[in-house]
């Protein structure tokens, strides 16, 4: 919650709308599922014939099932929106990854520099020895 307070007003409002969408969609799924279960119960005789009642129950179940599917699709869209929000607004995590990569590359650079200096020193020593040998030989 403290992290949300640090967010700008528009981001906080957006997160609140995501939370409301989540609660509404889950409530819709639960309510429609509960009503389908209630509709599946066989009731005692009513003023409507069994065939008519069966058709009405069938239609109601189809409508409620469609509402459940719509709410499920809405939840999938919400997940997509949350991923997009996280990708676009998670700057601390992105900065941390960049800093970590920079540290790795700096360590690699330092290691390469050390190896190059050691190689330079070895080549310098070998070159000095070769020059000394050349200048002290009789074939100059």
């Amino acid at each position: 919650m403290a992290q949300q307070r640090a967010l700008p007003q528009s981001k906080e409002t957006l997160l609140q709308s995501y939370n409301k969408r989540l609660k509404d969609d889950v409530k819709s799924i639960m309510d429609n599922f509960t009503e389908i279960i209630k509709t599946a119960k066989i009731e005692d005789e009513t003023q409507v014939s069994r065939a008519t009642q069966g058709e009405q129950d069938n239609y109601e179940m189809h409508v409620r099932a469609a509402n459940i599917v719509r709410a499920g699709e809405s939840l999938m869209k919400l997940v997509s929106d949350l991923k997009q929000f996280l990708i676009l607004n998670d700057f601390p995590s992105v900065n941390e990854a960049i800093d970590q990569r920079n540290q790795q590359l700096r360590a690699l650079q330092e290691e390469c520099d050390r190896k190059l200096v050691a190689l330079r020193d070895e080549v310098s020593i070998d070159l000095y020895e070769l020059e000394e040998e050349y200048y002290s030989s009789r074939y100059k």
Side-chain angles (χ1 to χ4, degrees), residues 63-109:
V63 169
R64 293 197 179 277
N67 287 342
I68 290 173
V69 169
R70 183 209 50 79
E73 288 173 348
S74 178
L75 285 173
M76 289 173 38
K77 173 73 170 114
L78 177 64
V79 168
S80 174
D81 291 347
L82 285 170
K83 286 179 181 178
Q84 183 179 11
F85 176 82
L86 185 63
I87 289 169
L88 296 177
N89 295 306
D90 192 20
F91 295 119
S93 164
V94 171
N95 289 340
E96 181 180 332
I98 290 171
D99 289 342
Q100 185 178 17
R101 184 65 179 153
N102 280 340
Q103 288 175 354
Q104 290 173 347
L105 292 175
R106 286 190 198 285
L108 182 63
Q109 178 185 8

Side-chain angles (χ1 to χ4, degrees), residues 15-134:
L15 290 175
Q16 287 174 353
S17 80
Y18 288 159
N19 197 16
K20 182 180 181 332
R21 281 174 50 191
L22 173 68
K23 288 180 181 179
D24 291 346
D25 289 338
V26 169
K27 184 178 183 320
S28 174
I29 290 173
M30 290 295 296
D31 291 345
N32 283 298
F33 189 75
T34 302
E35 289 301 317
I36 287 175
I37 299 299
K38 286 180 186 176
T39 305
K41 291 182 183 177
I42 298 176
E43 295 180 9
D44 294 333
E45 285 296 319
T46 60
Q47 294 178 350
V48 183
S49 70
R50 282 205 185 266
T52 306
Q53 185 65 41
E55 282 300 314
Q56 181 180 351
D57 291 348
N58 185 28
Y59 177 71
E60 182 180 349
M61 284 184 186
H62 277 87
V63 169
R64 293 197 179 277
N67 287 342
I68 290 173
V69 169
R70 183 209 50 79
E73 288 173 348
S74 178
L75 285 173
M76 289 173 38
K77 173 73 170 114
L78 177 64
V79 168
S80 174
D81 291 347
L82 285 170
K83 286 179 181 178
Q84 183 179 11
F85 176 82
L86 185 63
I87 289 169
L88 296 177
N89 295 306
D90 192 20
F91 295 119
S93 164
V94 171
N95 289 340
E96 181 180 332
I98 290 171
D99 289 342
Q100 185 178 17
R101 184 65 179 153
N102 280 340
Q103 288 175 354
Q104 290 173 347
L105 292 175
R106 286 190 198 285
L108 182 63
Q109 178 185 8
E110 289 173 6
E111 181 183 343
C112 288
D113 287 346
R114 280 194 302 272
K115 287 181 180 179
L116 284 173
V117 167
L119 185 62
R120 182 197 66 192
D121 292 344
E122 287 179 26
V123 168
S124 176
I125 291 170
D126 290 341
L127 182 61
Y128 179 76
E129 290 173 358
L130 286 173
E131 285 177 345
E132 195 174 89
E133 182 69 29
Y134 174 75

